[in-house]
Amino acid sequence: MIKKIDKFLKKDTVPSPCLVVDLEIVVENFQILSSLLPETQIYYAIKANPARAILQKLWPLKSRFDAASIYEIRECLSVGVDPMSIAFGNTIKKRQAIREAYLSGVRLFAIDSSNEVEKISKAAPGSSIYCRFQTNCFGADWPLSNKFGVQPSEVLEILRYAKSLGLAPVGLSFHVGSQQRNNIRWDEAIAQAARLFKLAQTNGINLEILNIGGGFTSNYRGRIPSIQDTCEGINKSVRRHFGHSSPQLIAEPGRYIVGDAGIIETEVISVSTKANDLRRWIYIDIGKFGGLIETLGEAIRYRIDAPYNDGPSGPVILAGPTCDDMDVLYQSAIYELPLSIVEGDRLRIYSAGAYTASYSAVNFNGFPPLSEYYI
Ligand SMILES: Cc1ncc(COP(=O)(O)O)c(C=O)c1O
């Protein structure tokens, strides 16, 4: 299906840089995940790519939505999503945002602190909450267990507090880290969740929902587990740790749904060398501020090639177009590109449908946000 994007990009009217997303691949990925996790409700993590075209494709497929902000909730509602199919999944929320979500009909909120519990009890009385706990993210290219989540030992107390304020503590959530390459992380987290479900039950709180978050992989460089193996592992872990009393499962995939569906095409602005490094510096018209912020620390390593060039290749340092010294994409990781590359040539960045366009700066150095096409 990449052929569809290829055909689109070969039209010479497409400006660079641009992201092209094949919506058929988005649909296919959603369907694959739904079939591999048949007992799990899929809440698409809008933050991965909030394009209206994607929300409009997923909603008729019975996707639900994990929203990070009131703005994402508004966007969902504007395309006709039922507010009962939205989880306000960010544990950090303004009181006014909680109130607006509640007045719009949203009733499911994530929490990881007593302050959030208090705010929700006032602004969204009687709502359902799930508590995010911290879990080991080792193996993830983009870890998510520093800023979010309580320690497992704090969960019971916070659930009790929510109950005492009239909220319905319905479940727990975790996130094993985005682009998680090690399936064992889900098993560890599910085992922990099962222990916490038991503890809650023996203290009079019957939890019903386990939100297993995201973490499902896209095809960047390096080995990834197959989606089949990851999902089979999750299903087995739930059976093993919960036995017959399996909770209602929720997953919040973002990257897996849209990552492989997108390609960025970028133009080479300049090729040069410096006396202290034999590698060529290749400056392209997209960098950290144009949508590739996940190259921070070279964490996400995209597959990049030069489909219009051939011949022998050599090592390169890849950098973005802005006047910022940190706008270097890859300097430690080994990237090679054809020696024939010159100014004006185009490169392709694959699996770029997630966490790119929505990250691109509005006006840094005067550059406009990344152009997007949904085909
Ligand atoms: C709460 C929550 N759910 C889901 C996701 C999506 O994760 P992924 O893109 O790894 O599927 C994220 C990512 O930041 C998140 O913070």
Side-chain angles (χ1 to χ4, degrees):
M1 283 219 252
I2 290 299
K3 274 198 189 134
K4 197 168 141 196
I5 301 183
D6 196 46
K7 206 167 147 201
F8 181 85
L9 284 170
K10 282 191 173 140
K11 283 192 274 171
D12 55 4
T13 47
V14 183
S16 174
C18 66
L19 166 68
V20 187
V21 173
D22 183 340
L23 292 168
E24 284 175 54
I25 301 180
V26 172
V27 167
E28 190 179 272
N29 289 346
F30 179 84
Q31 287 168 336
I32 290 171
L33 199 63
S34 303
S35 70
L36 293 171
L37 296 173
E39 312 295 332
T40 302
Q41 290 169 345
I42 308 288
Y43 282 63
Y44 170 60
I46 305 166
K47 61 179 80 70
N49 188 324
R52 189 168 265 247
I54 290 175
L55 304 184
Q56 283 168 330
K57 276 282 172 201
L58 293 178
W59 173 232
L61 300 176
K62 301 200 171 17
S63 178
R64 300 182 186 208
F65 296 90
D66 160 46
S69 68
I70 191 63
Y71 309 103
E72 287 187 351
I73 291 175
R74 286 183 199 159
E75 195 61 10
C76 276
L77 296 174
S78 77
V79 300
V81 172
D82 175 0
M84 290 302 281
S85 296
I86 300 173
F88 203 159
N90 191 343
T91 56
I92 318 293
K93 299 173 283 298
K94 278 190 176 171
R95 193 178 290 261
Q96 304 95 291
I98 297 168
R99 185 69 185 159
E100 183 182 328
Y102 177 76
L103 293 175
S104 306
V106 175
R107 291 291 181 273
L108 186 58
F109 297 84
I111 57 113
D112 67 358
S113 71
S114 51
N115 192 176
E116 283 294 309
V117 168
E118 276 159 25
K119 276 191 276 178
I120 295 170
S121 72
K122 295 263 167 49
S127 290
S128 300
I129 56 100
Y130 55 91
C131 178
R132 179 162 171 176
F133 67 87
Q134 280 191 350
T135 188
N136 181 358
C137 284
F138 192 71
D141 288 3
W142 198 259
L144 288 166
S145 244
N146 175 37
K147 178 174 166 188
F148 302 106
V150 295
Q151 287 300 305
S153 59
E154 301 168 286
V155 166
L156 179 60
E157 194 184 330
I158 208 158
L159 294 175
R160 274 182 172 149
Y161 187 50
K163 196 174 169 189
S164 75
L165 294 185
L167 295 172
V170 293
L172 302 180
S173 73
F174 62 81
H175 198 302
V176 293
S178 201
Q179 187 70 4
Q180 176 53 262
R181 294 172 187 265
N182 191 343
N183 288 342
I184 288 170
R185 297 288 95 86
W186 275 279
D187 185 63
E188 292 167 352
I190 291 166
Q192 179 64 270
R195 288 192 288 273
L196 292 169
F197 265 61
K198 255 195 200 122
L199 179 69
Q201 193 183 28
T202 52
N203 283 276
I205 297 175
N206 288 318
L207 300 176
E208 298 151 22
I209 294 175
L210 177 60
N211 179 340
I212 62 171
F216 306 92
T217 52
S218 286
N219 264 302
Y220 308 124
R221 288 171 50 163
R223 282 193 54 168
I224 51 168
S226 74
I227 191 69
Q228 287 77 8
D229 281 355
T230 301
C231 293
E232 214 172 280
I234 289 171
N235 292 331
K236 274 191 193 148
S237 297
V238 172
R239 281 196 296 274
R240 186 161 61 247
H241 300 299
F242 282 90
H244 294 300
S245 50
S246 171
Q248 172 60 58
L249 295 175
I250 284 179
E252 296 173 340
R255 194 181 297 281
Y256 174 76
I257 302 290
V258 290
D260 290 343
I263 293 179
I264 286 174
E265 190 161 271
T266 172
E267 185 180 313
V268 173
I269 302 176
S270 206
V271 181
S272 65
T273 50
K274 298 182 198 299
N276 62 352
D277 200 319
L278 291 174
R279 293 176 289 178
R280 288 165 297 156
W281 279 79
I282 297 204
Y283 300 90
I284 55 180
D285 63 2
I286 184 168
K288 283 204 160 58
F289 304 97
L292 301 181
I293 194 73
E294 289 199 320
T295 59
L296 264 178
E298 308 194 11
I300 296 292
R301 296 184 177 187
Y302 295 99
R303 288 174 295 117
I304 299 177
D305 77 8
Y308 310 102
N309 297 63
D310 48 21
S313 292
V316 297
I317 297 167
L318 275 162
T322 64
C323 292
D324 194 307
D325 204 50
M326 64 92 83
D327 195 9
V328 175
L329 304 176
Y330 301 113
Q331 191 159 14
S332 301
I334 295 167
Y335 274 80
E336 294 215 345
L337 285 169
L339 298 175
S340 62
I341 282 182
V342 291
E343 169 206 347
D345 286 342
R346 290 200 173 193
L347 308 180
R348 294 238 180 118
I349 303 174
Y350 296 95
S351 297
Y355 303 110
T356 50
S358 56
Y359 265 135
S360 81
V362 175
N363 198 25
F364 185 56
N365 278 206
F367 290 103
L370 181 60
S371 301
E372 300 164 68
Y373 300 89
Y374 294 86
I375 60 172

